Amino acid sequence: PNDRVLSCLSSHMPFWDRSIELMFLSHPHADHLNGLLPVLDRYSVLSFGSEKLQNKTLEFKRLEEIIAEKNIQHRHLFAGDTYRLSDGLTIQVLEPTAEYLKQTSPNGSIGERSEFANLNLLITYGSFRLLLTGDSQAAQLHEAIDEGRLKSVTVLQVPHHGSRSGLDEELLQEIRPKLAVISVGKNSYGHPTRQILQLLQQYDIQTLRTDIVGDVEIISDGKGFMVKK
C-alpha cells in the first residue's frame, strides 16, 4: 500500500512510455488499492476495471476522484465480461457473479479486515493461460469451476498471498498449473502458509515467491513461456 509499484513499472516498461491501456483493481483493500493512486497520478490510464464494491477509506474516495478528473473509462465487471485485444489476447472475468457479490457484500461495501469477492481474471494468449486471483477465497474459484468458466491453467497467481483459505487440493487437481507465483511481502499474517507451500510441493508445481525472488516477469509466445526474474 505505497508507491513501490512505480519502480516496478519503470523497470519493466520503456522510460518514455507513460500510457497504460487497462488497469484492474481486484478489490478495494488498502494493500491492493493504495498503490494504484501514484500510478494513476503519473501515468495516462485509458480504462479501469473493478468490482462494483466501495470502501469508506479516504484512499478509495481519492481513487474515484482521479478517475472522474481524468475522465477514465470505468467499468464494473462481472463473470462473463471479456476484453479482446487486437493481438489475439483475451481477458475473461471468471468471478464474481452479481449474486456472489450480493451474498458476500449485501450493502455493496467492503471493510478493510473482511474478505469478500475478488476479480478473478483469466488471461489467454494462444494455449497460454494465466489466472489472476487477487485475494480470492477457494469457494469463489470452486464456483467458477462448477459453472464451467475455469479449467486448467498454465500459470496461477496463488490466491490471497498464500493464505490457507485461498487454495485447496481439489482446486489444484482441477487447474493443474505448471507454475505458481505467490505475490507476498513481509507480513504478520504468516503468508504464505506452510500448508499452501506443502500442497504446491505435493503436486510438484514450480513455485516463485516475490518476497524471495522479487519481480516475476512472464513472457509467452502463445505456446510456451519463460520467466525473467
Side-chain angles (χ1 to χ4, degrees):
N2 51 44
D3 64 358
R4 287 179 62 186
V5 67
L6 288 177
S7 62
C8 177
L9 287 174
S10 65
S11 298
H12 298 282
M13 291 176 64
F15 72 90
W16 44 261
D17 189 351
R18 284 291 181 266
S19 178
I20 294 177
E21 287 75 16
L22 183 57
M23 176 186 283
F24 294 103
L25 172 62
S26 61
H27 64 297
H29 275 170
D31 59 329
H32 294 252
L33 161 68
N34 294 4
L36 298 184
L37 298 178
V39 179
L40 285 163
D41 278 332
R42 183 172 299 187
Y43 288 81
S44 174
V45 177
L46 304 183
S47 185
F48 187 89
S50 69
E51 298 179 295
K52 195 174 183 180
L53 282 180
Q54 293 191 340
N55 188 315
K56 296 179 180 179
T57 63
L58 292 175
E59 289 79 8
F60 184 81
K61 183 179 180 181
R62 179 56 185 154
L63 175 77
E64 293 184 310
E65 290 173 349
I66 296 175
I67 289 173
E69 290 167 1
K70 294 196 171 187
N71 198 28
I72 299 171
Q73 181 184 5
H74 184 191
R75 183 178 176 188
H76 288 130
L77 301 172
F78 298 91
D81 290 336
T82 303
Y83 294 85
R84 292 181 174 85
L85 281 64
S86 60
D87 60 2
L89 185 144
T90 64
I91 304 172
Q92 181 184 356
V93 181
L94 303 181
E95 290 285 332
T97 61
E99 182 59 30
Y100 192 90
L101 273 182
K102 184 178 178 180
Q103 290 175 358
T104 56
S105 304
N107 61 354
S109 182
I110 186 169
E112 276 303 312
R113 294 187 176 275
S114 299
E115 299 162 358
F116 291 95
N118 272 249
L119 285 184
N120 285 278
L121 303 175
L122 180 65
I123 299 178
T124 303
Y125 184 58
S127 60
F128 176 82
R129 292 158 61 87
L130 165 65
L131 178 59
L132 300 176
T133 61
D135 276 0
S136 182
Q137 301 298 290
Q140 191 175 9
L141 290 174
H142 277 295
E143 179 176 279
I145 290 173
D146 293 343
E147 297 187 6
R149 293 188 293 273
L150 175 59
K151 297 179 181 178
S152 63
V153 301
T154 314
V155 178
L156 167 69
Q157 178 244 315
V158 176
H160 202 180
H161 318 292
S163 164
R164 183 176 183 176
S165 59
L167 199 59
D168 58 33
E169 187 170 0
E170 186 179 348
L171 281 172
L172 280 185
Q173 289 175 345
E174 290 285 344
I175 61 178
R176 291 283 182 170
K178 295 179 180 178
L179 172 67
V181 179
I182 304 176
S183 177
V184 64
K186 184 178 180 180
N187 65 91
S188 59
Y189 302 101
H191 298 160
T193 62
R194 180 167 50 92
Q195 293 89 341
I196 292 299
L197 294 174
Q198 288 176 342
L199 185 60
L200 293 167
Q201 184 179 34
Q202 175 185 334
Y203 281 85
D204 197 27
I205 298 169
Q206 180 188 3
T207 302
L208 297 175
R209 295 170 48 171
T210 60
D211 61 334
I212 295 177
V213 303
D215 300 344
V216 176
E217 183 177 355
I218 299 170
I219 301 171
S220 175
D221 61 358
K223 298 176 182 177
F225 71 95
M226 63 175 290
V227 177
K228 290 179 65 176
K229 294 179 284 184

PDB file of all heavy atoms in Angstrom, residues 8 10 19 41 71-72 87 89 93-94 111 131 153 158 171 173 182 187 192 199 226 228:
ATOM      1  N   CYS A   8       8.580  -0.669  -9.928  1.00  0.00           N
ATOM      2  CA  CYS A   8       8.371  -1.932 -10.638  1.00  0.00           C
ATOM      3  C   CYS A   8       8.009  -1.662 -12.100  1.00  0.00           C
ATOM      4  O   CYS A   8       8.581  -2.256 -13.014  1.00  0.00           O
ATOM      5  CB  CYS A   8       7.265  -2.730  -9.948  1.00  0.00           C
ATOM      6  SG  CYS A   8       6.853  -4.275 -10.791  1.00  0.00           S
ATOM      7  N   SER A  10       8.607   1.048 -13.869  1.00  0.00           N
ATOM      8  CA  SER A  10       9.721   1.673 -14.590  1.00  0.00           C
ATOM      9  C   SER A  10      10.796   0.656 -14.958  1.00  0.00           C
ATOM     10  O   SER A  10      11.544   0.858 -15.914  1.00  0.00           O
ATOM     11  CB  SER A  10      10.326   2.797 -13.751  1.00  0.00           C
ATOM     12  OG  SER A  10      10.929   2.289 -12.569  1.00  0.00           O
ATOM     13  N   SER A  19       1.801   5.510 -20.802  1.00  0.00           N
ATOM     14  CA  SER A  19       0.410   5.179 -21.080  1.00  0.00           C
ATOM     15  C   SER A  19       0.117   3.742 -20.667  1.00  0.00           C
ATOM     16  O   SER A  19       0.877   2.825 -21.004  1.00  0.00           O
ATOM     17  CB  SER A  19       0.114   5.360 -22.575  1.00  0.00           C
ATOM     18  OG  SER A  19      -1.224   5.005 -22.864  1.00  0.00           O
ATOM     19  N   ASP A  41      -1.736   8.897 -10.949  1.00  0.00           N
ATOM     20  CA  ASP A  41      -1.234  10.267 -10.998  1.00  0.00           C
ATOM     21  C   ASP A  41      -0.170  10.439 -12.085  1.00  0.00           C
ATOM     22  O   ASP A  41      -0.154  11.451 -12.792  1.00  0.00           O
ATOM     23  CB  ASP A  41      -0.637  10.670  -9.644  1.00  0.00           C
ATOM     24  CG  ASP A  41      -1.705  11.124  -8.654  1.00  0.00           C
ATOM     25  OD1 ASP A  41      -2.749  11.630  -9.110  1.00  0.00           O
ATOM     26  OD2 ASP A  41      -1.501  10.965  -7.443  1.00  0.00           O
ATOM     27  N   ASN A  71     -11.256  11.602 -16.487  1.00  0.00           N
ATOM     28  CA  ASN A  71     -12.233  11.074 -17.437  1.00  0.00           C
ATOM     29  C   ASN A  71     -11.831   9.679 -17.937  1.00  0.00           C
ATOM     30  O   ASN A  71     -11.890   9.375 -19.134  1.00  0.00           O
ATOM     31  CB  ASN A  71     -12.415  12.025 -18.622  1.00  0.00           C
ATOM     32  CG  ASN A  71     -13.688  11.751 -19.395  1.00  0.00           C
ATOM     33  OD1 ASN A  71     -14.678  11.262 -18.838  1.00  0.00           O
ATOM     34  ND2 ASN A  71     -13.675  12.060 -20.677  1.00  0.00           N
ATOM     35  N   ILE A  72     -11.412   8.837 -16.995  1.00  0.00           N
ATOM     36  CA  ILE A  72     -11.006   7.470 -17.326  1.00  0.00           C
ATOM     37  C   ILE A  72     -12.250   6.593 -17.435  1.00  0.00           C
ATOM     38  O   ILE A  72     -13.128   6.626 -16.571  1.00  0.00           O
ATOM     39  CB  ILE A  72     -10.058   6.911 -16.240  1.00  0.00           C
ATOM     40  CG1 ILE A  72      -8.797   7.777 -16.149  1.00  0.00           C
ATOM     41  CG2 ILE A  72      -9.701   5.462 -16.534  1.00  0.00           C
ATOM     42  CD1 ILE A  72      -7.908   7.436 -14.967  1.00  0.00           C
ATOM     43  N   ASP A  87      -4.135  -8.234 -30.715  1.00  0.00           N
ATOM     44  CA  ASP A  87      -3.113  -9.258 -30.970  1.00  0.00           C
ATOM     45  C   ASP A  87      -3.599 -10.667 -30.639  1.00  0.00           C
ATOM     46  O   ASP A  87      -2.821 -11.617 -30.674  1.00  0.00           O
ATOM     47  CB  ASP A  87      -1.835  -8.946 -30.194  1.00  0.00           C
ATOM     48  CG  ASP A  87      -2.050  -8.904 -28.681  1.00  0.00           C
ATOM     49  OD1 ASP A  87      -3.179  -9.160 -28.235  1.00  0.00           O
ATOM     50  OD2 ASP A  87      -1.087  -8.606 -27.952  1.00  0.00           O
ATOM     51  N   LEU A  89      -4.945 -11.638 -27.678  1.00  0.00           N
ATOM     52  CA  LEU A  89      -5.006 -11.884 -26.239  1.00  0.00           C
ATOM     53  C   LEU A  89      -6.405 -11.561 -25.713  1.00  0.00           C
ATOM     54  O   LEU A  89      -7.014 -10.567 -26.119  1.00  0.00           O
ATOM     55  CB  LEU A  89      -3.957 -11.042 -25.513  1.00  0.00           C
ATOM     56  CG  LEU A  89      -3.801 -11.260 -24.000  1.00  0.00           C
ATOM     57  CD1 LEU A  89      -2.332 -11.117 -23.606  1.00  0.00           C
ATOM     58  CD2 LEU A  89      -4.628 -10.277 -23.200  1.00  0.00           C
ATOM     59  N   VAL A  93     -13.370 -12.321 -17.371  1.00  0.00           N
ATOM     60  CA  VAL A  93     -13.721 -12.209 -15.955  1.00  0.00           C
ATOM     61  C   VAL A  93     -14.446 -13.492 -15.546  1.00  0.00           C
ATOM     62  O   VAL A  93     -15.530 -13.796 -16.050  1.00  0.00           O
ATOM     63  CB  VAL A  93     -14.611 -10.975 -15.701  1.00  0.00           C
ATOM     64  CG1 VAL A  93     -14.940 -10.866 -14.214  1.00  0.00           C
ATOM     65  CG2 VAL A  93     -13.931  -9.705 -16.198  1.00  0.00           C
ATOM     66  N   LEU A  94     -13.836 -14.256 -14.647  1.00  0.00           N
ATOM     67  CA  LEU A  94     -14.436 -15.505 -14.177  1.00  0.00           C
ATOM     68  C   LEU A  94     -15.357 -15.289 -12.980  1.00  0.00           C
ATOM     69  O   LEU A  94     -16.350 -15.989 -12.805  1.00  0.00           O
ATOM     70  CB  LEU A  94     -13.337 -16.494 -13.785  1.00  0.00           C
ATOM     71  CG  LEU A  94     -12.306 -16.851 -14.861  1.00  0.00           C
ATOM     72  CD1 LEU A  94     -11.316 -17.858 -14.302  1.00  0.00           C
ATOM     73  CD2 LEU A  94     -12.983 -17.388 -16.102  1.00  0.00           C
ATOM     74  N   GLY A 111     -15.068  -3.927   3.939  1.00  0.00           N
ATOM     75  CA  GLY A 111     -14.253  -3.401   5.024  1.00  0.00           C
ATOM     76  C   GLY A 111     -12.811  -3.829   4.877  1.00  0.00           C
ATOM     77  O   GLY A 111     -12.490  -4.733   4.111  1.00  0.00           O
ATOM     78  N   LEU A 131      -4.010 -17.235 -14.635  1.00  0.00           N
ATOM     79  CA  LEU A 131      -5.126 -16.944 -13.731  1.00  0.00           C
ATOM     80  C   LEU A 131      -4.678 -15.982 -12.647  1.00  0.00           C
ATOM     81  O   LEU A 131      -3.781 -16.282 -11.861  1.00  0.00           O
ATOM     82  CB  LEU A 131      -5.640 -18.238 -13.091  1.00  0.00           C
ATOM     83  CG  LEU A 131      -6.791 -18.093 -12.078  1.00  0.00           C
ATOM     84  CD1 LEU A 131      -8.016 -17.437 -12.717  1.00  0.00           C
ATOM     85  CD2 LEU A 131      -7.154 -19.440 -11.476  1.00  0.00           C
ATOM     86  N   VAL A 153      -4.983 -24.256 -16.175  1.00  0.00           N
ATOM     87  CA  VAL A 153      -4.256 -23.024 -16.472  1.00  0.00           C
ATOM     88  C   VAL A 153      -2.765 -23.337 -16.565  1.00  0.00           C
ATOM     89  O   VAL A 153      -2.299 -24.375 -16.086  1.00  0.00           O
ATOM     90  CB  VAL A 153      -4.492 -21.933 -15.407  1.00  0.00           C
ATOM     91  CG1 VAL A 153      -5.979 -21.607 -15.304  1.00  0.00           C
ATOM     92  CG2 VAL A 153      -3.936 -22.343 -14.049  1.00  0.00           C
ATOM     93  N   VAL A 158      -1.178 -17.414  -6.952  1.00  0.00           N
ATOM     94  CA  VAL A 158      -1.753 -18.081  -5.777  1.00  0.00           C
ATOM     95  C   VAL A 158      -2.627 -17.089  -5.008  1.00  0.00           C
ATOM     96  O   VAL A 158      -2.182 -15.978  -4.687  1.00  0.00           O
ATOM     97  CB  VAL A 158      -0.641 -18.649  -4.874  1.00  0.00           C
ATOM     98  CG1 VAL A 158      -1.235 -19.255  -3.599  1.00  0.00           C
ATOM     99  CG2 VAL A 158       0.163 -19.695  -5.637  1.00  0.00           C
ATOM    100  N   LEU A 171      -8.928 -27.831  -5.884  1.00  0.00           N
ATOM    101  CA  LEU A 171      -8.678 -26.796  -6.892  1.00  0.00           C
ATOM    102  C   LEU A 171      -7.436 -27.122  -7.710  1.00  0.00           C
ATOM    103  O   LEU A 171      -7.437 -27.012  -8.939  1.00  0.00           O
ATOM    104  CB  LEU A 171      -8.516 -25.433  -6.218  1.00  0.00           C
ATOM    105  CG  LEU A 171      -9.790 -24.709  -5.797  1.00  0.00           C
ATOM    106  CD1 LEU A 171      -9.435 -23.473  -4.981  1.00  0.00           C
ATOM    107  CD2 LEU A 171     -10.615 -24.314  -7.013  1.00  0.00           C
ATOM    108  N   GLN A 173      -6.104 -29.991  -8.263  1.00  0.00           N
ATOM    109  CA  GLN A 173      -6.385 -31.141  -9.120  1.00  0.00           C
ATOM    110  C   GLN A 173      -7.111 -30.727 -10.389  1.00  0.00           C
ATOM    111  O   GLN A 173      -6.929 -31.327 -11.451  1.00  0.00           O
ATOM    112  CB  GLN A 173      -7.228 -32.167  -8.354  1.00  0.00           C
ATOM    113  CG  GLN A 173      -6.472 -32.893  -7.264  1.00  0.00           C
ATOM    114  CD  GLN A 173      -7.371 -33.808  -6.442  1.00  0.00           C
ATOM    115  OE1 GLN A 173      -8.593 -33.711  -6.486  1.00  0.00           O
ATOM    116  NE2 GLN A 173      -6.769 -34.716  -5.695  1.00  0.00           N
ATOM    117  N   ILE A 182       3.510 -16.592  -5.977  1.00  0.00           N
ATOM    118  CA  ILE A 182       2.928 -16.036  -4.757  1.00  0.00           C
ATOM    119  C   ILE A 182       3.405 -14.598  -4.615  1.00  0.00           C
ATOM    120  O   ILE A 182       4.589 -14.343  -4.411  1.00  0.00           O
ATOM    121  CB  ILE A 182       3.322 -16.851  -3.513  1.00  0.00           C
ATOM    122  CG1 ILE A 182       2.923 -18.315  -3.677  1.00  0.00           C
ATOM    123  CG2 ILE A 182       2.667 -16.260  -2.262  1.00  0.00           C
ATOM    124  CD1 ILE A 182       3.366 -19.204  -2.518  1.00  0.00           C
ATOM    125  N   ASN A 187       4.963  -9.703   6.277  1.00  0.00           N
ATOM    126  CA  ASN A 187       3.634  -9.526   6.867  1.00  0.00           C
ATOM    127  C   ASN A 187       3.548 -10.249   8.197  1.00  0.00           C
ATOM    128  O   ASN A 187       4.395 -11.092   8.513  1.00  0.00           O
ATOM    129  CB  ASN A 187       2.550 -10.043   5.912  1.00  0.00           C
ATOM    130  CG  ASN A 187       2.630 -11.538   5.673  1.00  0.00           C
ATOM    131  OD1 ASN A 187       2.016 -12.322   6.378  1.00  0.00           O
ATOM    132  ND2 ASN A 187       3.416 -11.951   4.684  1.00  0.00           N
ATOM    133  N   PRO A 192       3.269 -16.686   2.988  1.00  0.00           N
ATOM    134  CA  PRO A 192       2.403 -17.802   2.634  1.00  0.00           C
ATOM    135  C   PRO A 192       2.444 -18.873   3.719  1.00  0.00           C
ATOM    136  O   PRO A 192       3.473 -19.066   4.357  1.00  0.00           O
ATOM    137  CB  PRO A 192       3.000 -18.312   1.321  1.00  0.00           C
ATOM    138  CG  PRO A 192       4.463 -18.006   1.450  1.00  0.00           C
ATOM    139  CD  PRO A 192       4.529 -16.703   2.213  1.00  0.00           C
ATOM    140  N   LEU A 199       1.271 -28.048  -0.120  1.00  0.00           N
ATOM    141  CA  LEU A 199       0.323 -28.515  -1.124  1.00  0.00           C
ATOM    142  C   LEU A 199       0.902 -28.335  -2.532  1.00  0.00           C
ATOM    143  O   LEU A 199       0.804 -29.234  -3.376  1.00  0.00           O
ATOM    144  CB  LEU A 199      -0.994 -27.750  -0.984  1.00  0.00           C
ATOM    145  CG  LEU A 199      -2.158 -28.189  -1.874  1.00  0.00           C
ATOM    146  CD1 LEU A 199      -2.531 -29.635  -1.596  1.00  0.00           C
ATOM    147  CD2 LEU A 199      -3.364 -27.273  -1.650  1.00  0.00           C
ATOM    148  N   MET A 226       8.416 -18.263 -20.687  1.00  0.00           N
ATOM    149  CA  MET A 226       9.656 -18.188 -19.947  1.00  0.00           C
ATOM    150  C   MET A 226       9.489 -17.191 -18.818  1.00  0.00           C
ATOM    151  O   MET A 226       8.610 -16.318 -18.874  1.00  0.00           O
ATOM    152  CB  MET A 226      10.824 -17.793 -20.845  1.00  0.00           C
ATOM    153  CG  MET A 226      10.705 -16.416 -21.462  1.00  0.00           C
ATOM    154  SD  MET A 226      12.165 -15.915 -22.410  1.00  0.00           S
ATOM    155  CE  MET A 226      13.343 -15.695 -21.076  1.00  0.00           C
ATOM    156  N   LYS A 228      11.385 -14.327 -16.422  1.00  0.00           N
ATOM    157  CA  LYS A 228      12.530 -13.447 -16.167  1.00  0.00           C
ATOM    158  C   LYS A 228      12.430 -12.968 -14.724  1.00  0.00           C
ATOM    159  O   LYS A 228      11.416 -12.454 -14.316  1.00  0.00           O
ATOM    160  CB  LYS A 228      12.506 -12.245 -17.120  1.00  0.00           C
ATOM    161  CG  LYS A 228      12.811 -12.604 -18.561  1.00  0.00           C
ATOM    162  CD  LYS A 228      12.755 -11.373 -19.450  1.00  0.00           C
ATOM    163  CE  LYS A 228      13.840 -10.377 -19.102  1.00  0.00           C
ATOM    164  NZ  LYS A 228      13.849  -9.215 -20.016  1.00  0.00           N
TER     165      LYS A 228
END
